[in-house]
Amino acid sequence: MRGLAAERRRFGYRRLHWLLGREGVRINHKKFRRLYREERLQVRRRGGRKRALGTRAPMTIPQGRNQRWSLDFVSDAFACGRRFRIFAVVDDFTRECVRLIADTSISGVRVARELDWSMAERSRPAMIVSDNGTEFTSMAILRWSKERDVEWHYIAPGKPQQNGFIESFNARLRDECLNETIFTSLAQARSVLAAWRHDYNHHRPHSSLGNMTPAEMAAQSIGKPGWGLTPNPVVITPTHGHQSGLRLYS
């Protein structure tokens, strides 16, 4: 328990108990919680900003893989103080992290290029949700959305809760990775983020998915009718300097 808690410093007792169960260690959850508290392994809460209170309508949940992707940027800094940005893409249904790209500058053209690669690896999303950042409202993105026939939805200004899936992901990314790591170079940041993304998709349990991982949720959805499958392949030519002839799906 101590070793797992040291490795997963931002995991609470429920998620640690679930991970140990996966490894074959069977223990009553009440006993596990008592031992967890006796060992003082509780996750220390970090202070956060005050948030407005009020009634908000629940966000509609998509019913299939690749039906809706959410995009956002997260910023961090190297040990020297230089800032860098992270471009994140999440599948709202499976909670998979589709893309996690770090660079010192990411333009709208770069966003379109990364979306092309994501579509080549997976499929074409029916809708993309983002805020009104300059990268997402650029001519490159408007042209890309029209050429790829992907509906692009912009949330209301100052309403991040309308993009709740990516906001939740950003919180996990910052809490479990960015705040736990001192970055010294861009190459190191990319390596750490790639490892964390793989762990997030394939090993990290999600309570909202019934403690399945995003990869397990995606595998479970494959082959089920009406769950965002796209059986008809088409070939498109991506713009912005990519190789032509990427096989995507409509």
Side-chain angles (χ1 to χ4, degrees):
M1 186 194 301
R2 294 194 199 100
L4 191 59
E7 179 183 351
R8 307 278 190 170
R9 293 177 24 166
R10 302 305 299 177
F11 279 19
Y13 82 91
R14 290 185 181 87
R15 191 162 279 124
L16 293 177
H17 181 257
W18 187 87
L19 288 175
L20 283 175
R22 270 202 151 187
E23 296 176 2
V25 180
R26 303 299 177 185
I27 182 173
N28 181 274
H29 71 280
K30 294 181 180 179
K31 182 178 180 181
F32 183 88
R33 186 180 185 185
R34 177 173 57 80
L35 295 173
Y36 177 84
R37 296 178 66 179
E38 289 177 357
E39 293 296 325
R40 300 180 182 275
L41 299 177
Q42 296 96 326
V43 178
R44 181 174 297 178
R45 291 185 178 274
R46 292 192 173 103
R49 64 184 178 86
K50 294 182 179 180
R51 300 182 183 275
L53 300 177
T55 302
R56 297 189 176 99
M59 191 173 186
T60 303
I61 299 176
Q63 298 303 306
R65 188 172 185 254
N66 295 323
Q67 285 189 2
R68 189 174 70 207
W69 292 358
S70 296
L71 316 183
D72 203 4
F73 283 99
V74 182
S75 64
D76 209 313
F78 300 116
C80 63
R82 186 184 182 190
R83 307 291 298 180
F84 68 97
R85 308 185 77 196
I86 301 168
F87 172 54
V89 183
V90 169
D91 186 304
D92 290 354
F93 179 72
T94 64
R95 311 300 200 272
E96 291 173 282
C97 177
V98 178
R99 218 73 177 164
L100 201 59
I101 304 299
D103 213 328
T104 52
S105 177
I106 301 177
S107 65
V109 173
R110 176 72 180 280
V111 168
R113 186 188 312 157
E114 296 297 339
L115 290 175
D116 270 338
W117 284 117
S118 297
M119 287 170 57
E121 293 171 358
R122 297 170 58 89
S123 181
R124 176 186 288 121
M127 176 187 288
I128 288 178
V129 181
S130 75
D131 59 23
N132 295 268
T134 55
E135 299 85 3
F136 300 140
T137 56
S138 64
M139 289 301 298
I141 290 299
L142 297 177
R143 182 169 57 251
W144 180 92
S145 175
K146 183 177 180 179
E147 291 174 353
R148 301 296 181 263
D149 192 25
V150 175
E151 182 182 355
W152 199 292
H153 175 74
Y154 294 99
I155 65 173
K159 298 289 185 180
Q161 66 272 17
Q162 294 181 4
N163 206 6
F165 291 99
I166 194 73
E167 292 294 335
S168 176
F169 171 82
N170 291 346
R172 302 287 78 74
L173 171 64
R174 188 167 296 283
D175 186 48
E176 297 173 14
C177 180
L178 303 185
N179 289 346
E180 295 290 302
T181 310
I182 298 176
F183 297 104
T184 57
S185 67
L186 188 58
Q188 182 230 5
R190 288 170 173 167
S191 176
V192 169
L193 289 170
W196 186 86
R197 173 176 174 260
H198 182 271
D199 182 76
Y200 179 89
N201 283 340
H202 295 275
H203 302 293
R204 185 188 189 280
H206 275 250
S207 58
S208 60
L209 300 178
N211 282 329
M212 288 192 297
T213 65
E216 289 170 340
M217 185 65 175
Q220 189 178 92
S221 70
I222 293 176
K224 293 190 176 183
W227 277 36
L229 298 181
T230 52
N232 301 319
V234 296
V235 176
I236 66 171
T237 303
T239 56
H240 318 306
H242 261 270
Q243 298 175 358
S244 62
L246 289 178
R247 184 165 294 279
L248 304 182
Y249 294 83
S250 62

